[in-house]
């Protein structure tokens, strides 16, 4: 998120700062599941389950995420994005970006995005940057596949009961931050039965802190729900925080954003969904022995 104060004078912008039942628990949670006293989050048991190492759990859920990543490419959905700046003196919204987009397939069978609703953008103190749009598309609906693992240090935290779901908890951070790449850094909750991510809380990094080029993003939480009783899809992301721009860049800006993912539908086609040479078109997921299970 970039600040717009250098593009306008204070006179032109008054008030500008110059200085399913399965998913019920998800929407009841707040944006900081780290808090040990958070309602619905039980204590963390740091012990490992019998017969499994932390690396085996990581490998197992990353493999499941890889299967999901392939299957997701055969789904359509609708995404709504609302980004608000908040006037902390009045606690009211003083600027908003809102867009509703259908993620569909074109006649050529390729993925396409169709904007179905986009009222006038009234953001005045910040502007949406290319990094923001890339985060919305790729990193807020976070997945961690086998192919992604070499980029991250994954630390086992323990087991935690989150309302109706027993989870494994991990902390993730990038091993190395390469130029022009962004990564997730934070905490990940994985369903113990399905070995898929059901909740993440963290931040996309790095922020651009260069004077005059600041591009900042707030911490976020993404909640996941089962679709058609199958895979765990992102359903809701909330991000909120104070973006600390330098004084010359405009000072502090209170930002709140909500992204909703709805109306997931499997795209019906005669083509097959193949993962590692195996057919997963009908949600057939390879188990550890290489066999397929429904």
């Amino acid at each position: 998120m970039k600040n717009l104060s250098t593009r306008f004078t204070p006179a032109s912008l008054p008030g500008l700062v110059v200085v399913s039942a399965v998913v019920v628990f998800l929407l009841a949670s707040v944006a900081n599941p780290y808090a040990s006293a958070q309602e619905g989050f039980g204590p963390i048991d740091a012990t490992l389950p019998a017969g499994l190492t932390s690396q085996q759990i990581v490998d197992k859920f990353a493999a499941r995420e890889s299967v999901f990543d392939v299957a997701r490419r055969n789904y359509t959905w609708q995404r709504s994005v609302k980004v608000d700046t908040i006037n902390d003196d009045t606690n009211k919204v003083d600027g908003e970006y809102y867009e509703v987009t259908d993620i569909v397939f074109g006649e050529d069978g390729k993925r396409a995005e169709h904007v179905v609703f986009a009222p006038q953008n009234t953001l005045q103190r910040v502007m949406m940057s290319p990094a923001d749009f890339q985060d919305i598309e790729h990193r807020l609906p976070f997945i961690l596949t086998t192919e992604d693992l070499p980029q991250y240090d994954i630390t086992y935290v323990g087991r935690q009961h989150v309302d109706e779901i027993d989870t494994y908890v991990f902390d993730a951070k990038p091993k190395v931050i390469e130029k022009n790449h962004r990564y997730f850094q934070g905490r990940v909750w994985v369903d113990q039965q399905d070995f898929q991510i059901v909740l993440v809380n963290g931040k996309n990094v790095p922020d651009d802190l260069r004077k005059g080029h600041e591009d900042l993003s707030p911490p976020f939480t993404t909640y996941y729900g089962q679709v058609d009783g199958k895979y765990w899809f992102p359903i809701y992301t909330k991000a909120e925080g104070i973006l600390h721009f330098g004084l010359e860049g405009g000072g502090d800006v209170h930002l709140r954003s909500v992204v909703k993912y709805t109306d997931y539908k499997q795209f019906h086609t005669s083509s097959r969904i193949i993962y590692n040479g195996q057919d997963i078109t009908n949600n057939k997921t390879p188990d550890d022995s290489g066999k397929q299970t429904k």
Side-chain angles (χ1 to χ4, degrees), residues 45-49 54 57 154-159 168-171:
D45 178 356
T47 62
L48 283 162
S54 59
I57 299 173
I154 311 295
T155 303
Y156 178 76
V157 177
R159 292 177 285 176
Y168 297 117
V169 187
F170 295 87
D171 284 340

Side-chain angles (χ1 to χ4, degrees), residues 9-275:
T9 64
S12 66
L13 290 178
L16 180 68
V17 176
V18 179
V19 283
S20 101
V22 177
V23 304
V24 169
F25 88 95
L26 300 171
L27 299 180
S29 304
V30 299
N32 184 21
Y34 282 98
S36 59
Q38 167 61 36
E39 182 179 357
F41 285 73
I44 292 180
D45 178 356
T47 62
L48 283 162
L52 282 176
T53 67
S54 59
Q55 188 59 52
Q56 286 173 326
I57 299 173
V58 170
D59 291 342
K60 193 176 182 70
F61 88 71
R64 294 290 192 264
E65 290 283 291
S66 293
V67 172
F68 165 63
D69 185 37
V70 173
R72 184 179 61 164
R73 300 172 196 173
N74 202 46
Y75 279 77
T76 63
W77 64 89
Q78 185 173 91
R79 181 186 67 217
S80 68
V81 179
K82 180 183 287 187
V83 179
D84 293 328
T85 53
I86 311 298
N87 184 319
D88 283 330
D89 291 332
T90 64
N91 200 34
K92 293 183 179 180
V93 173
D94 60 13
E96 183 171 273
Y97 170 90
Y98 184 57
E99 182 177 271
V100 180
T101 304
D102 283 340
I103 314 299
V104 296
F105 289 91
E107 294 182 359
D108 58 358
K110 294 182 179 180
R111 178 76 74 191
E113 296 192 5
H114 293 162
V115 176
V116 295
F117 184 63
Q120 182 178 357
N121 179 4
T122 61
L123 290 175
Q124 296 180 325
R125 295 190 286 157
V126 296
M127 65 177 290
M128 301 286 287
S129 70
D132 293 319
F133 290 110
Q134 291 168 11
D135 283 350
I136 289 169
E137 183 175 357
H138 298 293
R139 280 174 288 276
L140 297 183
F142 180 69
I143 61 175
L144 186 60
T145 67
T146 300
E147 295 74 20
D148 298 324
L149 283 183
Q151 303 177 53
Y152 287 91
D153 283 326
I154 311 295
T155 303
Y156 178 76
V157 177
R159 292 177 285 176
Q160 187 173 31
H161 189 73
V162 183
D163 280 348
E164 301 302 320
I165 297 180
D166 290 315
T167 69
Y168 297 117
V169 187
F170 295 87
D171 284 340
K173 64 179 181 179
K175 291 181 177 179
V176 178
I177 295 180
E178 297 183 2
K179 186 177 180 180
N180 299 323
H181 286 74
R182 280 170 67 76
Y183 307 85
F184 170 80
Q185 183 168 323
R187 184 156 289 186
V188 177
W189 285 259
V190 176
D191 180 83
Q192 291 184 18
Q193 179 176 343
D194 294 334
F195 285 91
Q196 277 195 258
I197 292 174
V198 295
L199 179 68
V200 299
N201 176 254
K203 192 178 185 306
N204 291 317
V205 296
D207 282 339
D208 189 341
L209 302 177
R210 295 174 299 159
K211 187 176 180 180
H213 299 274
E214 294 161 305
D215 194 354
L216 313 180
S217 61
F220 71 92
T221 302
T222 296
Y223 311 91
Y224 299 69
Q226 281 188 324
V227 173
D228 297 334
K230 300 178 183 179
Y231 303 105
W232 288 83
F233 282 79
I235 59 170
Y236 182 86
T237 297
K238 182 176 181 180
E240 184 164 4
I242 306 296
L243 304 184
H244 300 288
F245 296 97
L247 292 180
E248 294 182 2
D252 294 345
V253 177
H254 184 173
L255 188 85
R256 179 190 301 144
S257 69
V258 171
V259 183
K260 297 179 182 179
Y261 316 83
T262 59
D263 201 25
Y264 283 106
K265 295 178 181 178
Q266 190 168 5
F267 180 64
H268 296 290
T269 175
S270 58
S271 62
R272 315 298 291 172
I273 306 174
I274 306 298
Y275 174 72

